[in-house]
């Protein structure tokens, strides 16, 4: 009996140590990134420690100014001009589509649902070029329209699928009771189902936000004038400009700022992230 | 089930699929049989683009090899690691929420250009990684001038983002009924035996799902190599998605680029279909349902 207790404790301790070690190795680069942003350019390459010898905000101030005529204020503003509409459109359109699939019967429903799932797996690499040519033809290049508009049509199947799964877990009795009370189908969605859907919608908001913040290839292809650059492209521009002496500390400071919105959102809404990944179990 | 109105709700999505999936899918295939440089009208060339890509274009063939290397290197490593950590976490352990978040953060930020900058920076010759290696008495590694090391650097960025697969594994592990473990113990099976005869078979649907998802993603990886190694050195990390991007948006060879993307698509399709076909042999559905 005693022996098995000891064995249990040893087992527990080993698990703990492995977990801590892995977490430390994984997070160290990021912690170091944050601390390096306060160091001056020389200290970055001479110390692997986390604690900067003095708190120095100049790399933030200088980095924010950038080498271009625009500051990071412009780039952040641009990023939000893309991200916020995407989040709103995506939530509205995906909820409506998911409602259609989860609560109605119609011809070809099975086939259409299969198509929805198929689009989740279809490599984007195939569709990217013709869409670029399409937007070029109607003179929409160098605008945010090509980056945003597909969210108006619920084209990110991940979100639709996640909401369908969630809707299926809400009992139909609620809908039926509401029908008897005289609600039409749209009122059932907005008045009855929407409140229960809140956690799933939160997950969608968060994922869409983070993915849109990270999006790099979209703006790389479509946005060509510097004044319209989002943060991701502005960062890329700053590594390209590394001729001569590189102000690494400034670039690092701006990298920290660039991931800050996603980090804040993550820490304030962790449970929705975990729920989102596990309930429908996709991607990331 | 209500019957009326269903179409109305899915109508926007249906229109969207036509515009954003069906139309570009067909157009892309048609484009691949032409030469089109955005200025002159597209000229039909039959299978020429495909023949040239597959027989003459060493840059393309090399990019396919690099993409296969990258995929075969990252996907199994990432999934093994994700499963290993999920297995350790699936235990009554204090601070499970902390660990879940800590492991998940890289999956959220991994795609961000800022992280690519961080990667470029810590793998410099005088960067953090080499400084740490020096502490252990290991000489500096020139991460970006050796093909093997450069491939390792971009692969590590992918493996680092194992968090989402890990969370999916963890959720599946938590659904395995405790009685099965107890029964296995009563039968006198060792821990290791239980892991391979009980846990792994019950996890196969999840493994299968994660495998497909990560394969499709890895085959199309772009940000890492584009921002960190720029395909170098000697094009050793020049993945197919970069080849496709360069041909379209740098050289304006729209038809040629489309043909390359269709070959990549066929490679992805071959892998996923083979997996689907083989799944009846190794994926075990306990209740006839998938993930």
């Amino acid at each position: 009996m005693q022996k098995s207790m000891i064995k249990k404790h040893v087992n527990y301790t080993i698990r703990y140590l492995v977990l801590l070690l892995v977490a430390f190795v994984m997070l160290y680069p990021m912690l170091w990134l944050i601390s390096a942003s306060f160091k001056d350019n020389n200290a970055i390459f001479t110390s692997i420690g986390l604690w900067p010898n003095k708190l120095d905000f100049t790399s933030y101030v200088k980095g924010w100014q950038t080498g271009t005529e625009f500051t990071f204020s412009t780039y952040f503003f641009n990023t939000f001009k893309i991200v916020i509409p995407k989040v709103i459109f995506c939530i509205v359109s995906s909820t409506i589509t998911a409602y259609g699939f989860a609560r109605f019967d119609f011809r070809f429903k099975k086939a259409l649902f299969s198509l929805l799932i198929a689009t989740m797996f279809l490599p984007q690499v195939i569709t990217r070029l013709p869409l670029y040519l399409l937007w070029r033809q109607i003179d929409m290049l160098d605008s945010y329209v090509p980056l945003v508009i597909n969210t108006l049509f619920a084209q990110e199947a991940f979100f639709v699928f996640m909401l369908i799964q969630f809707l299926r877990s809400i009992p139909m009795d609620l809908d039926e009771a509401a029908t008897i009370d005289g609600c039409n189908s749209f009122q059932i969605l907005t008045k009855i189902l929407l409140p229960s859907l809140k956690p799933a919608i939160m997950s969608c908001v968060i994922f869409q936000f983070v993915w849109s913040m990270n999006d790099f290839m979209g703006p790389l292809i479509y946005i060509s004038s510097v004044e319209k650059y989002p943060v991701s492209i502005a960062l890329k521009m700053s590594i390209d400009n590394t001729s001569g002496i590189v102000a690494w500390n400034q670039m690092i400071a701006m990298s920290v700022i660039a991931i800050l919105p996603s980090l804040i959102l993550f820490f304030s809404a962790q449970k929705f992230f975990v729920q989102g990944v596990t309930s429908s179990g996709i991607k990331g | 089930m209500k019957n009326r109105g269903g179409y109305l709700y899915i109508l926007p999505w249906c229109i969207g699929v036509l515009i954003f999936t069906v139309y570009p899918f067909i157009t892309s295939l048609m484009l691949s049989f032409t030469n089109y440089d955005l200025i002159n009208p597209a000229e039909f060339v039959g299978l020429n683009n495909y023949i040239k890509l597959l027989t003459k274009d060493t840059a393309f063939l090399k990019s396919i090899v690099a993409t296969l290397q990258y995929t075969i290197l990252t996907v199994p490593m990432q999934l093994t690691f994700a499963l290993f950590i999920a297995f350790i976490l699936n235990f009554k352990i204090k601070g499970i929420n902390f660990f879940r978040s800590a492991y998940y953060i890289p999956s959220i930020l991994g795609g961000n250009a800022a992280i690519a900058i961080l990667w470029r920076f810590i793998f410099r010759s005088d960067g953090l990684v080499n400084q740490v290696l020096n502490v252990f008495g290991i000489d500096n590694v020139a991460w970006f001038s050796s093909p093997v090391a450069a491939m390792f650097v971009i692969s590590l960025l992918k493996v680092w983002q194992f968090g989402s697969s890990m969370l999916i594994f963890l959720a599946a592990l938590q659904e395995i009924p405790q009685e099965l473990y107890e029964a296995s113990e009563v039968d006198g099976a060792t821990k290791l035996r239980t892991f391979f005869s009980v846990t792994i078979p019950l996890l196969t649907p999840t493994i299968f799902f994660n495998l497909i998802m990560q394969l499709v993603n890895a085959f199309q990886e772009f940000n890492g190599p584009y921002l960190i190694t720029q395909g170098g050195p000697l094009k050793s990390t020049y993945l197919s998605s970069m080849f496709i991007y360069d041909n379209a948006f740098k050289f304006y060879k729209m038809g040629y680029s489309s043909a390359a993307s269709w070959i990549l698509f066929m490679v992805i399709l071959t892998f996923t279909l083979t997996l689907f076909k083989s799944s009846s042999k190794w994926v075990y559905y306990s209740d006839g349902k998938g993930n």
Side-chain angles (χ1 to χ4, degrees), chain A residues 19 107 214 248 252 270 281, chain B residues 7 101 103 108 121 124 209:
Chain A
L19 289 176
R107 280 178 75 191
N214 287 353
W248 274 103
I252 286 180
Q270 281 179 46
Chain B
Y7 280 122
S101 312
Y103 296 143
I108 296 168
F121 184 57
R124 277 166 57 105
F209 175 81

Side-chain angles (χ1 to χ4, degrees), chain A residues 11-12 15-16 18-20 22-23 26-30 32-33 36 44-48 96-97 99-109 112 115-116 119-136 149-150 152-155 160 165 172 175 179 185-186 188-189 207 210 213-214 216-217 220-221 232 235-236 238-240 242 248 251-252 255 258-259 262-263 266-267 270 273-274 277-278 280-284, chain B residues 1-7 9-10 12-17 19-21 23-25 27-28 31 36 38 81 84-85 87-95 97-115 117-122 124 126-128 131-132 135 160-162 164 167-168 171 191 209 212-214 216-217 220 222-223 226-227 230 241 244-245 248-249 252 254-255 257-258 261-262 264-265 268 291:
Chain A
N11 190 343
Y12 191 83
R15 279 178 196 247
Y16 227 88
V18 172
L19 289 176
L20 276 175
V22 174
M26 281 185 61
L27 294 185
Y28 197 83
M30 301 206 31
W32 187 80
L33 176 80
I44 291 175
F45 296 108
T46 50
S47 75
I48 57 173
I96 290 174
T97 310
Y99 179 56
F101 273 112
R103 286 294 204 250
F104 294 88
D105 243 345
F106 40 82
R107 280 178 75 191
F108 308 121
K109 181 170 151 176
L112 287 170
L115 183 63
L116 176 81
T119 58
M120 208 149 60
F121 291 98
L122 181 76
Q124 299 266 314
V125 79
I126 293 284
T127 52
R128 202 169 280 132
L129 200 65
L131 284 175
Y132 171 83
L133 295 175
L134 179 74
W135 293 117
R136 186 173 172 271
I149 197 128
N150 67 331
L152 257 184
F153 296 89
Q155 288 306 293
V160 181
Q165 296 288 80
M172 290 286 266
D175 304 38
T179 315
S185 67
F186 190 70
I188 290 175
L189 174 64
F207 277 106
V210 170
M213 288 291 289
N214 287 353
F216 177 75
M217 202 178 201
L220 180 69
I221 291 172
S232 56
L235 283 174
K236 182 219 166 226
S238 70
I239 21 177
D240 287 348
T242 51
W248 274 103
M251 258 168 55
I252 286 180
S255 301
I259 58 177
S262 301
L263 267 187
F266 174 71
F267 281 115
Q270 281 179 46
F273 268 103
V274 175
V277 177
T278 48
S280 59
I282 327 243
K283 191 161 155 168
Chain B
M1 283 279 164
K2 294 178 279 278
N3 283 310
R4 285 186 312 150
Y7 280 122
Y9 289 102
I10 63 159
W13 173 79
C14 288
I15 295 169
V17 165
I19 302 173
F20 297 103
T21 303
Y23 162 78
F25 190 76
T27 315
S28 163
L31 260 177
Y36 180 45
L38 293 180
F81 203 58
F84 171 69
I85 296 291
F87 190 66
I88 297 183
L89 261 183
N90 185 31
F91 197 70
K92 283 199 185 69
I93 209 160
K94 262 193 192 143
N97 287 334
F98 164 77
F99 288 117
R100 263 204 311 222
S101 312
Y103 296 143
Y104 193 59
I105 286 175
S107 298
I108 296 168
L109 302 176
N112 200 300
I115 297 298
I117 291 181
L118 169 68
W119 234 246
R120 241 170 105 158
F121 184 57
I122 63 175
R124 277 166 57 105
D126 52 0
L128 178 68
Q131 288 179 43
V132 172
V135 171
W160 188 60
Q161 302 168 49
F162 71 89
S164 58
L167 285 184
I168 298 170
K191 281 256 160 66
F209 175 81
I212 300 269
M213 229 46 219
Q214 297 302 334
V216 175
N217 281 340
Q220 299 181 79
F222 178 80
N223 288 10
Y226 181 83
L227 285 165
Q230 284 127 337
S241 62
I244 292 161
Y245 172 83
F249 300 105
Y252 300 109
M254 297 296 165
S257 173
S258 296
S261 70
W262 271 86
L264 179 63
F265 178 45
I268 301 175
N291 192 294

Side-chain angles (χ1 to χ4, degrees), chain A residues 63-66 68-82 144 223 225-235 237 254 257:
Chain A
W64 192 269
Q65 302 299 333
T66 76
T68 65
E69 54 187 306
F70 305 100
T71 66
F72 262 86
S73 317
T74 312
Y75 303 136
F76 265 103
F77 194 58
N78 291 341
T79 297
F80 289 121
K81 275 199 271 192
I82 302 168
Y144 299 141
I223 309 299
S225 39
V226 179
E227 81 237 35
K228 290 179 188 162
Y229 277 1
V231 173
S232 56
I233 304 294
L235 283 174
M237 194 171 55
M254 287 310 104
I257 300 254

Side-chain angles (χ1 to χ4, degrees), chain B residues 80-291:
Chain B
T80 313
F81 203 58
L83 183 57
F84 171 69
I85 296 291
F87 190 66
I88 297 183
L89 261 183
N90 185 31
F91 197 70
K92 283 199 185 69
I93 209 160
K94 262 193 192 143
I96 185 168
N97 287 334
F98 164 77
F99 288 117
R100 263 204 311 222
S101 312
Y103 296 143
Y104 193 59
I105 286 175
S107 298
I108 296 168
L109 302 176
N112 200 300
I115 297 298
I117 291 181
L118 169 68
W119 234 246
R120 241 170 105 158
F121 184 57
I122 63 175
F123 282 100
R124 277 166 57 105
S125 57
D126 52 0
L128 178 68
V129 175
N130 276 342
Q131 288 179 43
V132 172
L133 289 179
N134 289 343
V135 171
F136 291 103
I138 301 165
D139 274 344
N140 278 0
V141 178
W143 294 105
F144 296 124
S145 31
S146 130
V148 177
M151 185 57 93
F152 176 78
V153 170
I154 59 163
S155 302
L156 200 65
L157 177 60
K158 190 78 175 177
V159 176
W160 188 60
Q161 302 168 49
F162 71 89
S164 58
S165 316
M166 192 265 308
L167 285 184
I168 298 170
F169 278 135
L170 188 60
L173 277 171
Q174 283 167 349
E175 272 178 27
I176 297 178
Q178 202 58 41
E179 303 97 73
L180 282 177
Y181 291 121
E182 281 155 18
S184 168
E185 203 174 321
V186 169
D187 288 348
T190 60
K191 281 256 160 66
L192 202 68
R193 183 71 207 275
T194 310
F195 180 72
F196 283 107
S197 315
V198 177
T199 316
I200 292 284
L202 287 173
L203 278 183
T204 45
T206 318
I207 295 174
F208 178 66
F209 175 81
N210 273 335
L211 196 58
I212 300 269
M213 229 46 219
Q214 297 302 334
L215 268 182
V216 175
N217 281 340
F219 270 117
Q220 299 181 79
E221 175 62 26
F222 178 80
N223 288 10
Y226 181 83
L227 285 165
I228 300 169
T229 58
Q230 284 127 337
L234 302 169
K235 301 229 161 180
S236 56
T237 57
Y238 191 66
L239 303 189
S240 299
S241 62
M242 283 184 76
F243 179 93
I244 292 161
Y245 172 83
D246 280 348
N247 272 283
F249 300 105
K250 261 194 192 153
F251 312 137
Y252 300 109
K253 293 187 195 165
M254 297 296 165
Y256 199 59
S257 173
S258 296
S261 70
W262 271 86
I263 294 174
L264 179 63
F265 178 45
M266 288 302 150
V267 174
I268 301 175
L269 207 62
T270 312
F271 267 76
T272 40
L273 288 184
T274 313
L275 272 175
F276 266 104
K277 270 209 147 155
S278 77
S279 69
S280 60
K281 296 210 179 72
W282 62 275
V283 176
Y284 170 79
Y285 292 109
S286 55
D287 53 5
K289 261 193 332 198
N291 192 294

